[in-house]
Amino acid sequence: MATQEAFELTFNDPLTIDSTRSRGQERLASLPHREPLDFICAQNVEACSLSHRDMLDFVPRKKGLGGVLSGAARKMFSAAVDFVQSPEDTPVIPPSEELQNSCVEVPVPDPVPSISEPDIFAEVAEPLQAQNVQGLKSEGKGVSLFGHYVAVANNQGKRKENSVDEEERTGALLHEVTTEISGSGADTEREAYFQQQQSLLTSLSSSRVRVVHSVENEHEHDSDEALLSAFERAAILEYATPPVPLNGLNDSHTVERKKCSSRQSSVGDRCVRVFISSTFKDMATEREIIIKRVMPTIRKACAKRGVTICEVDLRWGITTEQSLSGNTLSICLNEVDRCRPWFFCILGERYGWCHPENSQDPLLTKTFAHASAQFPWVMNFTDRSITELEIRHAILNKSGGRAVNIDHTHFFFRNPAYAKGRGPDYEETSPAVLSKVRKLKDTIQQQLPTNIHNYNEPYNLECILCEQVMNLLDMDFPEDSSPSPLERERQVHNAFALSRARVYVGGAHYLFQLNCFIATQAQNSHPTPIVVIGSSGSGKSALLCNYVSRFEKENPETFVLSHYIGCSSLSTDLGRMLCRLITEIIDNFNLPSVELPNDTEGLSALLPSILLGASTKGGMLLVIDALNQLDEKDNSHELHWLPLQLPPNVQLVTSVLPSCRVADVLSQRKWNALNVQPLEEQARFELVTAYMSECSKSLSSSQIERLIQTPQSSNPLFLRTILDEIRVHGTYETLSARIEQCLKCENIPDLLSQVLARIELDFDVNSKYVAELMSLIWLSRKGLLESEALSILDIPPVLWSELQLALSDLLASQSGFLNFSHDFVRQAVSTRYNPSSRRELRTKFIRFFQNQESVERKCEEVPYQFLQDSNLRELALFITAPETFFILSSDQYLFDLYKYFRACQAERPATLLVQNMMSTTVSHANLRQTGKFLQDLAYYSEAETLLKKALSIVKHGSDLGAIADIQDALGYLYRVQARYEEACPMYNESLETRKKLHGEESREVAASMCSLAILFRKMGQYDKAEPLYAGSCVIRKKLLGLNHPETGMSYNGLGCLYQDQGKDKLAEEHFDTALKIRERCHGPNHPDVAMTLSNFASLYLSQARYDEAERMFERAVHIYEDIFGDSHPDVAHALAYLAGVYVEKGKYSQAKPLFERALEIKKQAFGIKHPEVAQSLSDYGVLHARMRDFKTALTLYKQCLDIRREVLGAEHPDTAQSMNNVAAILTDQGEYVAAEKMFREALETTEKKFGPTHPNICQTLLKLANLFQRQGRSVEETLPLYKRSLAILHQYYGEVHPDIALTLNDMAVLCYRNNQISEAEFMYQEMVTVYQKLFPNGHPDASRACRNVAAFYSAIGNSAQESKFLALASS
């Protein structure tokens, strides 16, 4: 290590004294004098072998996302790979407004400029066209035309010679391909749907993929324009397909993927459509019960299993227009087919629509004729009712060629007595028709006797129907009895994706652009992520869910991991999300298991290594939806946890709102963006018709026209909410009025408020429960369990069921908790009910949870409510009670507990906690846990009290392991406070205890030896530290071998120790050995290797071997850049080290851009207000101070100070350090009064934190003494400061320590200036003695000290002593 320079006395500048102490202080010295850069010279700390970085070596990219496309897109890019833009040319979206207001031009392969060589078309274009035509024929789908797309554009440069022939040839080929497309029977529906997309696709001028024509041909023909446009639309055709009827999927549609069984089933397997058949007028009550009570209950059960269920209710699903055109029967029978095998029928005493006796209904005759075109058999049953034909088609017509599954067919017969006396709407008046009813029931009874269920009244149907559906769900989708937390969370995300992937229209071009982008980035060594940007409700989640669904089907060999933030209460927590991502990746790729860190910082550091492991195993696609919905704790919105660059084969797609902090951070990263624009009218029309078709309902053309022409309907969520309201509207005659009422709303919260008003109206006198339930959920932290809501509201169970079902579209069940389905619901509730002002409701809420037996739920809600209510005294009492503290201090709630402690600091929570722990019977393990928590918050005295009590408990037992652990914890606590004399016996006792427990040679003993060695290094007792380091090295070599990371750590520690001692040769040898071990263990490109390189380089820096130091620091930078990309925080640290070399070489102009880059990286990684950013500002300030640019240095130091005060607090040691830095610059600028004030503030802060005798105080004391010297103040004022500092140093380090020597030097200067020559001489000689004892074999610092003394003797005319010390300096 490059040690602190000894001051070289120059009498030309009597004020030039050493005014800083580098040891134990900031990375960079804080004054503009020529002291070494502290962040290089004093940072040779133990290079810990972090488990999260013990990853595979960086290897060449394997096959991964290079083949992400299938069908059209795969052929496009595989055929045109030579024409793809190079990664360096990949366009990016500029930051700020452009990120929000413009859509990126996705880097699709552009046609190359015109090429004059005559063989290009023959060698590339023609085979490409033939290949695509042949491939299209073999696959039977018209999707892959990009080869022609490229070939035609490529050939434009040759039009001067043979334009007519080429147009004819290409036109013929295009005709062949398009004929193949349109002629395929299987693609008829695709082509029809594609035609609906034409108006949308032709309006893609702002977001479509740009076709770059040949620059040499400025006069392009209209035929080229049309041809290229046709190619583009054909390529997008693959993404413009209508939703496949989910019940029609067979095994060929099943998505095969790695470990599919443990993740999700195919979409088709997890979707159910239930056809509900009945007569109309007499079954209105039953249908109302099914729609509003039964199906919401069933949907909740399905959601837990990842199943989507949809009931087909045709009570008014067929419009007058359709009925008059004769479509009624064909619609019904087609729906029966779509719903197979699920068919439920409810029968009373009516037969349904049929011909009257002795006459014909002209409309019914027309209906039969129309249906017979598709279902010829109906003509044999023209005397039957529509209801009977539905039943026959579903189950009785066994000759229909359809597979019949009777398990899923159930009939519900209502007691005939119910219809008596209710009139013709409930009972047939014609004996002949009534006979048909009974004959139909008899036929069903004969063929399916076990599938018939009888009920007396409509309300009896609910339980019977629910039971049958649940039985079928248990049979088809058994509920896993004991899913792991990871599996449960996975199911929630899968269920969310299924719910959003049902009806998605109008976004074909977005899907196409995403696929093009992913394919292009697959060629990149560091793929650039893409950000989907859109306003709330614009369809971002639906886009990502649909893209993932298609991608998985097309790329079963690629692992896709999706995380939809906001789909569950746990999904918004950063720590839990990182745990899930890391665990899923490790599980999928069979990576070596690691112990997950229990904090977000550790998880964030681990994620890049896990992604790197995935990269070496084939790669993956990571999709993270709604970044802006992450909980804001842990600075999550600064995205410090999200890698700035990705390794090869790993791609990321994410989404975000346009105007939020997350979007600002992403704009700074300059990632590509895809803006989701408002829906055009054509897309709105498609959404309305597709949604209503999914519900088996139809709207009139005027109703549809009114819906799609309203400007608010450009937002998909607004339109979808209206459609949801239409779906549950009971009377068709008043439907238009309801639509008009909804369309008066200007935004989504207003619309949802109207939905709430409608529900309140439905509940009439019980409407208060609607307001109270929604307000309680708004107040809650993570939602409410049903049992909790029932108890707080004190609502009858029957009424609760109705309330829950009525609110089913506004609430989502997230891991059992009722919460809002969208943030717009929260906004609507806030506006409508103003729950934050309802103090009595919050009090009722808190009282309920305080009386709950579940401590976990109590800890989730009660302190949060106290904090929201600003009841800090109750908050302090709650969080310091032992029962709740031990829950809150667990990993799950630890970050919340930190926040609560900070919030109620005025109530002295640490003191309350200690009092409670000391007055209660608590285990030693809990005491140790509490002590560690308080230590982390710098409550050192309180932590010590608890750890000592824990030690007194275990010492009376036989648990040696616990004794050693607590002794080690106390040793660490004392070491942090620089109470070295107390730390030493604790570490020693821990070491001896572990020797007894594990033997002399064990990994635990080696770890204790290293801890003790670090302590002795800090104390400057190198002779004691050396055998401990060496002993740990011997043990680790014996147990683990030479080539083991822990052995490498011991060698690295020895290297640092020898560098401290000035034994540069030994230091170099041990760094070299540590470097070789780590290269063997991890390969040449690993963070631990880079760490040792940095230590090695710092040794060379101390020896003024600047070129060698520069090369090593550069290699360290390259390692970090190769592994983590060029914008990772570790890269920033290495850049700062390298900049330090340039500073020492006087190359300030080269150091400056490195410091600036390091600062910018940290700002992007951590946000502006972060301790790491403050450190970089301080480092940059040192550079400007060295350059004598004190004004800039002061500005940077003040910025650093402001951040530390805000983030760390005014009483943090780092804040005091920044005060010293600012005061030092003020001293250099002659602002002595301001400087003294700040020095004294820093001194007070440090004394308050550490006490009056802590080594950190010495730095401020010495700087204050130096300030007094500059002012020419008396010895009586100045000398006591030096003496106090010297006494502290002696107390902690003994008689021998470098900082003692430096202090003696400064005292000698003071004495000399005040003509106290003998006192000065004594101080100088003492300084030399310290150096000689410290470095008996010589050291550069000792040599400089001797030259300093020689200069002193020269000044006072003692030539003999001058010669003596010059000789010592040379020896």
Side-chain angles (χ1 to χ4, degrees):
M1 179 187 293
T3 54
Q4 169 70 44
E5 283 190 54
F7 163 67
E8 296 185 6
L9 181 66
T10 57
F11 291 94
N12 293 329
D13 182 9
L15 295 181
T16 305
I17 59 174
D18 175 55
S19 54
T20 57
R21 295 298 180 271
S22 67
R23 295 181 184 277
Q25 305 304 329
E26 289 201 293
R27 286 178 177 152
L28 287 177
S30 55
L31 287 180
H33 303 295
R34 290 288 305 166
E35 57 272 354
L37 287 175
D38 184 59
F39 82 100
I40 292 175
C41 305
Q43 285 296 309
N44 292 313
V45 295
E46 296 302 321
C48 299
S49 180
L50 301 178
S51 62
H52 62 269
R53 287 181 173 164
D54 294 340
M55 296 302 300
L56 299 172
D57 294 340
F58 201 77
V59 299
R61 194 156 50 97
K62 296 182 179 179
K63 182 182 183 296
L65 291 176
V68 294
L69 303 180
S70 68
R74 177 181 288 128
K75 292 178 183 176
M76 278 187 244
F77 288 98
S78 62
V81 66
D82 292 334
F83 304 115
V84 181
Q85 289 175 312
S86 65
E88 291 76 10
D89 296 329
T90 302
V92 296
I93 283 297
S96 236
E97 289 87 358
E98 291 191 49
L99 178 68
Q100 302 176 15
N101 300 328
S102 64
C103 181
V104 69
E105 295 179 2
V106 179
V108 172
D110 293 335
V112 297
S114 351
I115 301 174
S116 58
E117 288 81 348
D119 59 344
I120 288 294
F121 185 79
E123 293 184 4
V124 177
E126 289 180 331
L128 185 58
Q129 291 173 344
Q131 172 190 349
N132 283 328
V133 173
Q134 197 63 34
L136 180 131
K137 290 180 179 179
S138 63
E139 290 191 10
K141 54 183 178 179
V143 289
S144 186
L145 294 175
F146 193 73
H148 305 279
Y149 188 22
V150 173
V152 170
N154 177 43
N155 194 47
Q156 287 176 4
K158 300 171 62 179
R159 290 297 174 91
K160 297 176 182 179
E161 300 177 3
N162 52 1
S163 59
V164 177
D165 293 342
E166 298 302 343
E167 282 189 46
E168 291 177 353
R169 176 159 49 170
T170 307
L173 285 167
L174 177 61
H175 175 73
E176 182 181 352
V177 174
T178 52
T179 302
E180 191 75 28
I181 296 173
S182 59
S184 172
D187 289 320
T188 302
E189 187 180 8
R190 293 161 57 88
E191 181 62 23
Y193 186 78
F194 177 57
Q195 294 301 324
Q196 295 178 356
Q197 295 276 326
Q198 292 305 299
S199 62
L200 177 63
L201 296 178
T202 54
S203 65
L204 297 181
S205 58
S206 62
S207 60
R208 64 190 289 179
V209 180
R210 176 177 294 176
V211 179
V212 182
H213 297 283
S214 169
V215 295
E216 295 183 9
N217 186 359
E218 299 179 358
H219 305 287
E220 298 160 340
H221 301 293
D222 292 340
S223 59
D224 291 341
E225 292 278 355
L227 191 59
L228 291 170
S229 180
F231 289 149
E232 180 180 357
R233 289 200 298 273
I236 298 178
L237 175 58
E238 180 178 7
Y239 305 97
T241 55
V244 179
L246 295 172
N247 63 299
L249 291 178
N250 53 37
D251 292 339
S252 64
H253 293 85
T254 302
V255 177
E256 294 294 335
R257 55 178 296 191
K258 297 178 181 179
K259 301 188 179 181
C260 181
S261 60
S262 68
R263 281 175 167 74
Q264 66 182 50
S265 302
S266 69
V267 173
D269 289 338
R270 309 297 293 182
C271 294
V272 170
R273 291 175 59 84
V274 183
F275 189 91
I276 301 174
S277 174
S278 76
T279 50
F280 281 80
K281 294 182 179 180
D282 62 328
M283 290 296 169
T285 304
E286 278 86 346
R287 288 178 176 275
E288 200 73 14
I289 289 171
I290 291 172
I291 297 301
K292 294 187 176 180
R293 297 174 62 87
V294 175
M295 292 314 299
T297 301
I298 297 302
R299 285 195 186 94
K300 288 175 57 181
C302 288
K304 296 177 181 178
R305 306 166 190 241
V307 176
T308 302
I309 191 167
C310 175
E311 78 283 2
V312 176
D313 169 30
L314 297 177
R315 56 182 170 163
W316 56 260
I318 301 173
T319 65
T320 302
E321 295 164 346
Q322 292 171 325
S323 180
L324 292 175
S325 63
N327 288 339
T328 302
L329 182 56
S330 59
I331 289 174
C332 291
L333 299 185
N334 273 304
E335 284 298 338
V336 171
D337 285 337
R338 292 184 68 194
C339 294
R340 290 185 187 275
W342 292 69
F343 181 86
F344 288 2
C345 180
I346 311 170
L347 289 178
E349 299 305 304
R350 281 186 54 82
Y351 186 49
W353 187 21
C354 63
H355 287 299
E357 287 186 86
N358 304 319
S359 66
Q360 295 285 312
D361 183 335
L363 182 55
L364 184 56
T365 300
K366 181 179 179 181
T367 299
F368 278 122
H370 187 280
S372 65
Q374 186 176 359
F375 307 99
W377 60 269
V378 300
M379 298 308 294
N380 298 325
F381 299 93
T382 55
D383 59 335
R384 312 299 171 88
S385 69
I386 297 296
T387 301
E388 178 171 341
L389 292 181
E390 290 174 352
I391 297 170
R392 287 192 170 277
H393 189 54
I395 195 73
L396 299 182
N397 283 354
K398 295 185 179 179
S399 62
R402 300 265 183 185
V404 176
N405 187 338
I406 64 172
D407 291 334
H408 293 73
T409 302
H410 289 267
F411 293 86
F412 304 86
F413 292 171
R414 189 173 63 194
N415 191 328
Y418 180 81
K420 296 295 184 181
R422 293 181 181 267
D425 284 350
Y426 285 84
E427 188 176 20
E428 295 291 352
T429 57
S430 167
V433 178
L434 186 58
S435 173
K436 289 182 180 181
V437 174
R438 291 169 181 167
K439 184 177 179 181
L440 175 61
K441 289 183 176 181
D442 290 342
T443 303
I444 296 170
Q445 184 76 49
Q446 292 170 8
Q447 296 197 22
L448 296 105
T450 61
N451 295 54
I452 297 174
H453 313 278
N454 297 301
Y455 68 100
N456 292 324
E457 295 188 354
Y459 287 98
N460 301 140
L461 178 63
E462 181 179 354
C463 293
I464 298 173
L465 188 55
C466 280
E467 180 182 359
Q468 297 310 313
V469 176
M470 290 305 301
N471 289 340
L472 292 174
L473 289 175
D474 289 338
M475 180 174 65
D476 291 353
F477 313 103
E479 189 171 10
D480 192 345
S481 58
S482 57
S484 68
L486 178 64
E487 290 170 335
R488 285 198 297 268
E489 187 71 3
R490 184 187 300 152
Q491 290 168 3
V492 171
H493 288 272
N494 292 341
F496 177 86
L498 288 172
S499 70
R500 295 300 191 273
R502 291 285 292 164
V503 177
Y504 184 70
V505 295
H509 52 305
Y510 296 136
L511 294 169
F512 177 67
Q513 289 182 77
L514 281 176
N515 230 20
C516 291
F517 179 84
I518 291 294
T520 303
Q521 287 299 312
Q523 315 299 322
N524 217 334
S525 59
H526 290 292
T528 303
I530 186 167
V531 184
V532 177
I533 302 174
S535 60
S536 291
S538 61
K540 302 184 298 297
S541 296
L543 170 61
L544 294 188
C545 291
N546 279 274
Y547 179 72
V548 166
S549 176
R550 292 173 183 268
F551 185 94
E552 287 182 319
K553 185 193 299 184
E554 297 168 357
N555 305 276
E557 75 288 349
T558 301
F559 175 55
V560 181
L561 178 55
S562 304
H563 189 89
Y564 302 99
I565 300 173
C567 76
S568 74
S569 57
L570 301 180
S571 66
T572 60
D573 182 89
L574 175 60
R576 290 183 177 276
M577 181 185 74
L578 292 174
C579 283
R580 175 178 181 250
L581 298 182
I582 290 168
T583 305
E584 291 275 22
I585 295 171
I586 290 174
D587 177 52
N588 183 82
F589 292 105
N590 294 317
L591 298 178
S593 60
V594 297
E595 182 178 352
L596 294 182
N598 57 12
D599 61 297
T600 56
E601 185 175 351
L603 291 167
S604 301
L606 175 56
L607 182 61
S609 297
I610 297 300
L611 293 176
L612 180 61
S615 171
T616 64
K617 296 277 188 167
M620 63 178 291
L621 173 64
L622 176 60
V623 178
I624 304 178
D625 181 36
L627 279 176
N628 52 279
Q629 290 192 43
L630 273 175
D631 293 339
E632 293 190 35
K633 64 180 183 179
D634 306 323
N635 273 333
S636 65
H637 285 204
E638 299 299 327
L639 303 185
H640 59 85
W641 55 270
L642 187 62
L644 294 165
Q645 285 193 346
L646 300 173
N649 302 324
V650 175
Q651 299 221 47
L652 170 65
V653 180
T654 187
S655 69
V656 70
L657 291 176
S659 300
C660 63
R661 176 57 188 164
V662 177
D664 293 340
V665 174
L666 291 175
S667 72
Q668 294 169 9
R669 295 192 179 189
K670 299 182 180 180
W671 286 357
N672 289 276
L674 175 63
N675 277 38
V676 177
Q677 304 294 340
L679 290 176
E680 300 291 340
E681 282 195 17
Q682 176 65 23
R684 300 177 211 175
F685 172 80
E686 293 157 9
L687 177 56
V688 172
T689 54
Y691 180 93
M692 300 313 295
S693 174
E694 191 75 9
C695 300
S696 299
K697 303 180 188 299
S698 297
L699 297 174
S700 67
S701 56
S702 61
Q703 290 170 334
I704 294 176
E705 192 73 13
R706 184 71 183 93
L707 279 173
I708 66 176
Q709 287 185 349
T710 301
Q712 301 94 300
S713 295
S714 63
N715 184 293
L717 183 59
F718 186 95
L719 184 54
R720 177 66 183 257
T721 302
I722 291 183
L723 294 176
D724 285 338
E725 277 293 280
I726 291 172
R727 178 174 58 84
V728 300
H729 191 70
T731 308
Y732 183 71
E733 287 74 16
T734 60
L735 184 60
S736 294
R738 179 58 178 159
I739 291 174
E740 290 300 324
Q741 190 178 23
C742 291
L743 292 178
K744 290 179 181 179
C745 300
E746 296 182 356
N747 51 52
I748 297 172
D750 288 348
L751 177 60
L752 292 173
S753 181
Q754 192 175 110
V755 172
L756 288 169
R758 188 262 302 166
I759 296 173
E760 290 172 11
L761 190 62
D762 289 345
F763 276 78
D764 196 16
V765 295
N766 294 310
S767 61
K768 66 173 186 177
Y769 291 116
V770 178
E772 285 201 10
L773 174 61
M774 300 304 275
S775 296
L776 285 171
I777 294 175
W778 190 96
L779 289 172
S780 70
R781 183 179 186 187
K782 58 179 293 185
L784 292 174
L785 294 171
E786 288 187 33
S787 58
E788 295 167 350
L790 275 166
S791 299
I792 299 174
L793 291 173
D794 192 22
I795 183 174
V798 174
L799 188 57
W800 163 252
S801 179
E802 294 179 2
L803 177 63
Q804 190 178 6
L805 298 180
L807 294 167
S808 59
D809 287 335
L810 304 181
L811 300 179
S813 179
Q814 301 173 348
S815 303
F817 289 88
L818 287 175
N819 215 327
F820 299 127
S821 59
H822 199 282
D823 191 61
F824 282 129
V825 183
R826 177 174 293 277
Q827 295 176 36
V829 170
S830 179
T831 302
R832 186 171 184 82
Y833 304 123
N834 192 19
S836 62
S837 65
R838 299 187 60 181
R839 189 74 178 270
E840 80 290 347
L841 192 62
R842 191 187 296 277
T843 302
K844 182 179 180 181
F845 190 98
I846 295 174
R847 188 180 303 117
F848 169 80
F849 279 104
Q850 283 181 315
N851 295 327
Q852 291 304 295
E853 294 182 0
S854 172
V855 182
E856 287 79 6
R857 282 294 287 139
K858 190 183 299 186
C859 289
E860 286 173 341
E861 290 291 351
V862 174
Y864 174 79
Q865 297 301 328
F866 282 141
L867 183 61
Q868 297 303 308
D869 200 34
S870 299
N871 193 340
L872 301 183
R873 179 60 182 173
E874 290 297 325
L875 174 62
L877 293 173
F878 183 89
I879 64 177
T880 57
E883 179 190 36
T884 52
F885 173 81
F886 294 131
I887 298 296
L888 289 169
S889 60
S890 64
D891 294 342
Q892 184 175 358
Y893 305 109
L894 183 59
F895 297 109
D896 295 330
L897 185 58
Y898 287 150
K899 178 175 66 177
Y900 297 146
F901 254 76
R902 289 195 298 268
C904 63
Q905 194 165 0
E907 302 296 333
R908 302 178 63 195
T911 302
L912 289 173
L913 182 60
V914 172
Q915 290 173 352
N916 290 334
M917 293 296 172
M918 297 297 287
S919 61
T920 309
T921 302
V922 182
S923 68
H924 65 80
N926 284 336
L927 286 170
R928 183 186 171 204
Q929 174 187 342
T930 309
K932 182 181 183 303
F933 170 81
L934 292 172
Q935 174 188 292
D936 291 343
L937 291 179
Y939 292 109
Y940 296 133
S941 61
E942 292 87 348
E944 181 181 357
T945 301
L946 297 181
L947 288 175
K948 282 183 174 179
K949 182 177 180 181
L951 186 60
S952 68
I953 292 174
V954 296
K955 278 191 172 180
H956 292 93
S958 57
D959 190 346
L960 296 180
I963 293 173
D965 290 343
I966 297 174
Q967 288 169 335
D968 192 77
L970 270 168
Y972 180 82
L973 176 65
Y974 293 145
R975 194 183 86 193
V976 169
Q977 300 176 80
R979 296 163 61 181
Y980 299 140
E981 295 301 325
E982 294 169 271
C984 191
M986 283 297 162
Y987 275 137
N988 273 318
E989 289 177 26
S990 176
L991 175 60
E992 294 304 318
T993 303
R994 284 173 172 169
K995 285 180 179 179
K996 292 178 184 178
L997 184 62
H998 302 289
E1000 293 284 338
E1001 296 181 348
S1002 66
R1003 295 176 73 174
E1004 293 80 6
V1005 168
S1008 278
M1009 294 172 75
C1010 277
S1011 295
L1012 195 53
I1014 294 172
L1015 173 65
F1016 287 136
R1017 269 189 63 206
K1018 285 187 171 290
M1019 296 173 67
Q1021 298 181 17
Y1022 304 136
D1023 57 330
K1024 294 181 179 179
E1026 183 173 357
L1028 290 168
Y1029 272 129
S1032 71
C1033 189
V1034 170
I1035 293 173
R1036 285 168 169 169
K1037 278 198 294 184
K1038 183 175 180 179
L1039 296 179
L1040 307 172
L1042 177 64
N1043 296 320
H1044 190 277
E1046 290 181 25
T1047 308
M1049 185 169 64
S1050 290
Y1051 271 98
N1052 188 76
L1054 275 167
C1056 294
L1057 174 67
Y1058 290 139
Q1059 186 178 351
D1060 284 351
Q1061 293 177 284
K1063 300 177 181 179
D1064 288 359
K1065 184 176 181 181
L1066 283 173
E1068 186 170 355
E1069 291 174 357
H1070 282 78
F1071 282 144
D1072 185 62
T1073 303
L1075 182 61
K1076 289 176 180 176
I1077 291 172
R1078 287 177 164 173
E1079 285 179 331
R1080 291 192 194 106
C1081 292
H1082 307 299
N1085 298 317
H1086 189 276
D1088 284 357
V1089 173
M1091 185 181 292
T1092 302
L1093 283 168
S1094 296
N1095 287 336
F1096 216 152
S1098 70
L1099 172 66
Y1100 288 152
L1101 182 62
S1102 70
Q1103 299 171 337
R1105 296 163 64 178
Y1106 297 133
D1107 292 340
E1108 292 168 280
E1110 182 178 348
R1111 284 194 295 270
M1112 284 196 165
F1113 279 132
E1114 283 179 344
R1115 184 184 164 196
V1117 170
H1118 293 154
I1119 290 174
Y1120 286 128
E1121 286 181 333
D1122 286 344
I1123 294 176
F1124 301 119
D1126 58 8
S1127 300
H1128 191 274
D1130 284 355
V1131 174
H1133 297 147
L1135 287 170
Y1137 299 156
L1138 183 58
V1141 177
Y1142 292 143
V1143 170
E1144 290 302 305
K1145 295 173 76 172
K1147 296 182 178 180
Y1148 299 143
S1149 61
Q1150 291 178 255
K1152 186 176 179 180
L1154 297 186
F1155 278 129
E1156 290 173 346
R1157 183 182 164 198
L1159 178 60
E1160 187 60 29
I1161 290 172
K1162 288 186 179 181
K1163 284 182 178 179
Q1164 290 188 19
F1166 302 117
I1168 297 175
K1169 295 181 179 180
H1170 191 278
E1172 283 288 342
V1173 174
Q1175 181 64 64
S1176 283
L1177 288 168
S1178 180
D1179 293 348
Y1180 197 23
V1182 170
L1183 171 66
H1184 284 280
R1186 288 284 188 90
M1187 296 166 64
R1188 316 298 291 180
D1189 181 4
F1190 297 141
K1191 182 178 179 180
T1192 303
L1194 182 61
T1195 300
L1196 293 167
Y1197 283 150
K1198 284 183 175 179
Q1199 290 175 2
C1200 173
L1201 177 60
D1202 291 342
I1203 292 173
R1204 285 174 169 169
R1205 275 177 170 162
E1206 181 175 348
V1207 177
L1208 302 177
E1211 298 181 358
H1212 196 279
D1214 288 355
T1215 305
Q1217 173 63 36
S1218 287
M1219 294 179 191
N1220 284 329
N1221 293 346
V1222 172
I1225 295 294
L1226 293 174
T1227 300
D1228 282 317
Q1229 292 182 324
E1231 299 182 25
Y1232 298 139
V1233 175
E1236 181 178 351
K1237 180 181 178 181
M1238 189 157 285
F1239 277 137
R1240 292 193 180 279
E1241 185 179 352
L1243 182 62
E1244 180 182 355
T1245 299
T1246 309
E1247 287 179 332
K1248 186 175 181 180
K1249 177 60 65 176
F1250 295 111
T1253 58
H1254 192 278
N1256 281 16
I1257 292 174
C1258 296
Q1259 182 187 24
T1260 308
L1261 289 171
L1262 293 170
K1263 288 183 177 181
L1264 189 57
N1266 295 338
L1267 170 63
F1268 286 0
Q1269 287 210 55
R1270 284 176 176 268
Q1271 292 178 286
R1273 292 163 76 164
S1274 68
V1275 176
E1276 288 75 15
E1277 285 184 277
T1278 309
L1279 192 59
L1281 298 175
Y1282 284 125
K1283 287 183 176 180
R1284 181 183 171 190
S1285 176
L1286 191 62
I1288 294 173
L1289 294 172
H1290 280 309
Q1291 177 182 343
Y1292 279 91
Y1293 302 124
E1295 298 299 320
V1296 179
H1297 193 275
D1299 286 354
I1300 292 175
L1302 293 170
T1303 304
L1304 288 167
N1305 178 85
D1306 292 353
M1307 293 174 70
V1309 173
L1310 174 66
C1311 292
Y1312 172 82
R1313 287 175 176 166
N1314 287 275
N1315 204 30
Q1316 297 179 2
I1317 304 301
S1318 60
E1319 289 86 348
E1321 181 177 13
F1322 174 77
M1323 297 294 180
Y1324 277 130
Q1325 290 179 345
E1326 284 291 304
M1327 176 187 69
V1328 172
T1329 301
V1330 170
Y1331 275 125
Q1332 287 177 336
K1333 291 180 179 180
L1334 193 62
F1335 307 116
N1337 298 322
H1339 189 277
D1341 286 355
S1343 299
R1344 283 193 290 269
C1346 288
R1347 287 195 296 270
N1348 224 22
V1349 178
F1352 165 75
Y1353 281 118
S1354 175
I1356 63 174
N1358 191 334
S1359 58
Q1361 288 292 337
E1362 177 187 3
S1363 300
K1364 172 185 173 181
F1365 281 96
L1366 286 175
L1368 284 174
S1370 303
S1371 62

